[in-house]
Amino acid sequence: MEHEARLRDLERINRALRMHKDCIQGVMHAESEEELLDSVKRVMVEVGGYRQILFLSSESCLQFRFEAHCPCRALREVLETGKSVEVKGAEEECGRCSLYFDPKDRCRLLAVPIKVRGKCEYILAACGDAGREEFVSEEIALMEELADDLSFGIEVLRLREERKKALENLRYASFHDHLTDLYNRAFFMEELHRLDVERQLPLSIIFADLNGLKLINDTFGHIEGDRLLTSFAQALKGCVRQEDIAARLGGDEFAVLLPKTSNETALDIVRRVEDALKNLSSGPIVVSASFGVATKEDPSQNIEAVFSEAEKEMYRVKIGSSSSLKKSVLAFFYNWRRLTPGYSLDGARLLLALSQKVGEAMRLERKDLERLYLLALFHDIGLVAMPEIIEKADKGRLTDEEFNRYTEHVEIGYRIALNLPDLASIAKDILLHHERWDGKGFPQGLKGEEIPLLARILAPVHEYCDDIFIKGLSKKEAISAVVIESGNSFDPNVVDVFLNVLSKDISKDVPIEAKSDDDFKEYWKGFKEGT
């Protein structure tokens, strides 16, 4: 009897050895993790003689229902402990266990952990016949050795897959712009020469330059600038065919390579892109671009010369549109403050009128009076980038953190002004209009006559107008507030001139009581024209 049992054990061991050998072959030739596991399942059933094979993970274990006292619950322990478990199903304990397809299949299980990179990711569960004897030690050892081999095979496959993905990502990155997901300049130039063959003619090139990117970066920061670039890229990509090569050449420059495309069709594509851009905007900037189109129709034409022609055409268009863009931006800034909470049109008119009177009384030249006028109009232009701060700033209710944010508006305004020819002459005055006579202002802490004269003139006039129209003080109280700060916040000499101006009737000289915007605009227009 013992002899027969030993023969049966030897047969099981030999079968397990053959199974192990065949499984290793499957592991070596598998191209994927799924293929590896399927191959092992098949061999273990066909060669090993097991009823069924399960590869269970922490997720797949959850799909099985185990009764409170079901021995099969030990499968979950394998994942936690990383140790092999032998389970013998019993009818009274496994009657409702969902591990088995048929209750009659209740059987003996050998569950062995498969660890990948130190973590138990699978359980190799081999199910034998219900009536079979216990797994012999050699059989268990071979099963655990197989689990180690599977662990190695899975890790190799994963490393191979990671390497493949890394190479794909590297190749993708070498041909694409990381921000816009368009092709990059290197790939574009490579394709330009690859497609420079007669069968691809006519070969058209669109060269595009995004307008206003520097102004967006300077006003709202590079995050908004990046958003502008990606929005434009998506609009561009959405208007060309899949076989066309749309690329970001660098900065705000883009290009599209259009094989088998006439010049007329390329111009139609440009019009489609321009229409798509009408739905995009970023603050004061209407998203637009300057385009140049050139087409190679004759095989004798040099493709790089055609590319250069498209670029030159783009620059011709950009020179013509640049002035229009900057004027529209200036018009936006002229009007935007009136739409912000707490803005007082009468206060703005009074600021313009009084600052001009102070400038005249201090015998400023005409060009400086014009600069002072522009400063009174656009001194707080940088607040466009922080709409959440404006109302609180007007009412003087800023927290320390909000005040620190508020101080940034002078630097933002400075950068905006440098980008607009009409305001470039007052850029430094915008930057320094919050400096104080006693040196306690911002952003540079200048004091006395280190502060530009126009900024010193604007300061007390601005305080006076804010006190009346924002804080609701009487004229007498507003004058008192300015006098108190003479020598502290304000230049004493400017304050003296300002008080002298206030003592005179200026209502006949400027329309400070005008009620319509048209009157206000006419006054600005007349001033600009020198009338």
Side-chain angles (χ1 to χ4, degrees):
M1 198 63 141
E2 291 182 8
H3 179 69
E4 291 179 0
R6 185 55 182 166
L7 287 176
R8 287 196 300 271
D9 288 346
L10 288 173
E11 174 60 28
R12 285 160 57 188
I13 294 170
N14 287 330
R15 186 188 299 173
L17 284 169
R18 292 196 302 272
M19 175 197 74
H20 185 270
K21 178 183 175 182
D22 291 349
C23 283
I24 295 303
Q25 291 295 320
V27 170
M28 292 175 61
H29 293 93
E31 293 295 327
S32 67
E33 198 169 317
E34 183 180 2
E35 183 182 335
L36 181 150
L37 297 179
D38 286 343
S39 171
V40 170
K41 280 183 182 180
R42 185 180 66 256
V43 172
M44 291 185 73
V45 171
E46 294 176 357
V47 180
Y50 298 102
R51 181 183 292 272
Q52 66 175 344
I53 301 297
L54 298 173
F55 284 102
L56 304 178
S57 64
S58 55
E59 292 78 18
S60 60
C61 256
L62 297 176
Q63 68 180 297
F64 295 109
R65 184 184 68 254
F66 303 114
E67 293 304 303
H69 302 291
C70 178
C72 298
R73 291 172 62 90
L75 291 176
R76 292 177 181 169
E77 296 177 12
V78 178
L79 286 170
E80 298 173 2
T81 64
K83 296 180 179 179
S84 301
V85 172
E86 186 177 355
V87 177
K88 183 178 180 182
E91 184 173 353
E92 64 275 9
E93 296 172 329
C94 301
R96 296 183 181 179
C97 175
S98 63
L99 181 64
Y100 307 104
F101 300 126
D102 189 322
K104 296 178 182 179
D105 286 340
R106 285 188 298 276
C107 57
R108 188 179 293 277
L109 283 175
L110 176 60
V112 181
I114 298 177
K115 300 178 182 179
V116 182
R117 297 176 182 176
K119 179 184 176 182
C120 184
E121 295 202 12
Y122 291 105
I123 302 172
L124 168 57
C127 307
D129 292 333
R132 72 169 290 160
E133 299 175 5
E134 294 183 357
F135 291 91
V136 297
S137 60
E138 294 88 348
E139 189 178 9
I140 295 174
L142 282 169
M143 197 74 76
E144 290 177 339
E145 186 177 340
L146 175 60
D148 290 340
D149 293 333
L150 292 177
S151 298
F152 179 76
I154 290 171
E155 184 160 358
V156 168
L157 287 171
R158 290 185 182 179
L159 287 171
R160 186 189 301 169
E161 187 63 25
E162 289 170 4
R163 181 175 179 274
K164 179 182 177 183
K165 288 182 178 179
L167 289 173
E168 288 175 352
N169 291 338
L170 183 61
R171 177 176 173 79
Y172 186 89
S174 67
F175 290 147
H176 288 78
D177 174 60
H178 73 281
L179 176 64
T180 63
D181 207 34
L182 297 181
Y183 291 112
N184 59 20
R185 185 184 190 94
F187 183 80
F188 180 88
M189 298 308 293
E190 183 178 310
E191 290 296 287
L192 180 69
H193 292 284
R194 184 183 70 83
L195 294 172
D196 184 23
V197 291
E198 189 169 351
R199 68 176 182 277
Q200 298 292 349
L201 300 183
L203 181 60
S204 290
I205 299 171
I206 297 174
F207 201 103
D209 188 280
L210 186 58
N211 296 327
L213 178 62
K214 187 176 188 302
L215 189 54
I216 287 291
N217 284 335
D218 288 346
T219 305
F220 300 101
H222 283 79
I223 292 177
E224 284 299 321
D226 289 348
R227 188 174 290 121
L228 177 66
L229 285 166
T230 54
S231 297
F232 176 76
Q234 289 305 309
L236 187 65
K237 194 173 182 179
C239 294
V240 299
R241 303 164 301 185
Q242 188 172 359
E243 62 268 26
D244 298 329
I245 308 298
R248 181 188 178 198
L249 302 184
D252 52 7
E253 293 184 343
F254 296 78
V256 184
L257 193 56
L258 304 159
K260 299 180 180 179
T261 304
S262 67
N263 189 269
E264 182 180 355
T265 301
L267 290 172
D268 285 339
I269 292 173
V270 168
R271 284 188 282 270
R272 290 205 302 270
V273 176
E274 290 174 333
D275 289 339
L277 295 181
K278 292 177 182 178
N279 298 322
L280 303 174
S281 63
S282 185
I285 310 299
V286 176
V287 181
S288 65
S290 300
F291 296 92
V293 177
T295 304
K296 177 174 180 175
E297 298 176 335
D298 189 328
S300 64
Q301 289 178 274
N302 182 283
I303 191 60
E304 292 189 0
V306 176
F307 177 79
S308 180
E309 181 184 344
E311 184 178 13
K312 290 176 181 177
E313 176 61 24
M314 180 278 295
Y315 280 118
R316 283 194 291 269
V317 172
K318 191 172 185 68
I319 290 171
S321 63
S322 178
S323 176
S324 174
L325 171 68
K326 289 175 179 176
K327 284 182 179 178
S328 68
V329 172
L330 188 63
F332 170 87
F333 286 126
Y334 175 71
N335 291 291
W336 76 273
R337 189 68 164 98
R338 303 182 182 199
L339 303 176
T340 58
Y343 175 79
S344 169
L345 181 58
D346 286 337
R349 289 169 173 162
L350 186 60
L351 176 63
L352 289 168
L354 291 179
S355 59
Q356 283 297 293
K357 279 299 179 180
V358 173
E360 290 170 358
M362 296 186 73
R363 301 185 182 281
L364 295 185
E365 295 183 5
R366 184 68 189 179
K367 64 178 182 178
D368 290 327
L369 285 173
E370 180 173 351
R371 289 175 56 227
L372 180 59
Y373 188 90
L374 290 174
L375 181 62
L377 271 178
F378 297 109
H379 62 278
D380 58 0
I381 192 174
L383 289 173
V384 71
M386 47 187 75
E388 75 284 359
I389 296 291
I390 295 176
E391 186 174 11
K392 288 185 177 182
D394 285 338
K395 295 180 179 179
R397 298 176 180 173
L398 296 174
T399 65
D400 290 343
E401 183 178 349
E402 288 170 337
F403 180 77
N404 290 335
R405 168 81 170 129
Y406 170 76
T407 61
E408 296 174 7
H409 83 274
V410 295
E411 296 178 5
I412 295 173
Y414 172 73
R415 293 195 297 268
I416 292 173
L418 288 178
N419 278 284
L420 301 174
D422 288 337
L423 300 185
S425 65
I426 61 166
K428 189 172 182 180
D429 301 289
I430 290 175
L431 175 67
L432 302 174
H433 79 274
H434 273 287
E435 298 289 354
R436 289 169 48 112
W437 183 257
D438 59 10
K440 296 179 180 179
F442 63 85
Q444 297 179 7
L446 302 182
K447 64 187 300 184
E449 293 185 359
E450 294 175 341
I451 305 168
L453 178 58
L454 298 190
R456 282 185 276 141
I457 291 174
L458 182 71
V461 182
H462 187 277
E463 178 67 25
Y464 175 80
C465 295
D466 270 7
D467 285 345
I468 293 175
F469 291 97
I470 303 299
K471 299 177 183 177
L473 302 184
S474 67
K475 292 183 179 179
K476 184 177 179 180
E477 290 171 328
I479 290 173
S480 178
V482 170
V483 171
I484 289 173
E485 287 300 315
S486 178
N488 296 320
S489 296
F490 311 129
D491 180 345
N493 181 49
V494 173
V495 171
D496 289 343
V497 175
F498 178 41
L499 294 177
N500 187 48
V501 167
L502 287 176
S503 68
K504 299 178 180 179
D505 179 13
I506 63 170
S507 61
K508 296 179 181 179
D509 297 323
V510 291
I512 62 172
E513 302 299 331
K515 297 300 180 185
S516 72
D517 281 354
D518 289 338
D519 290 336
F520 195 41
K521 291 176 181 177
E522 282 300 315
Y523 179 61
W524 185 40
K525 179 180 178 182
F527 182 86
K528 293 285 286 182
E529 292 173 354
T531 61

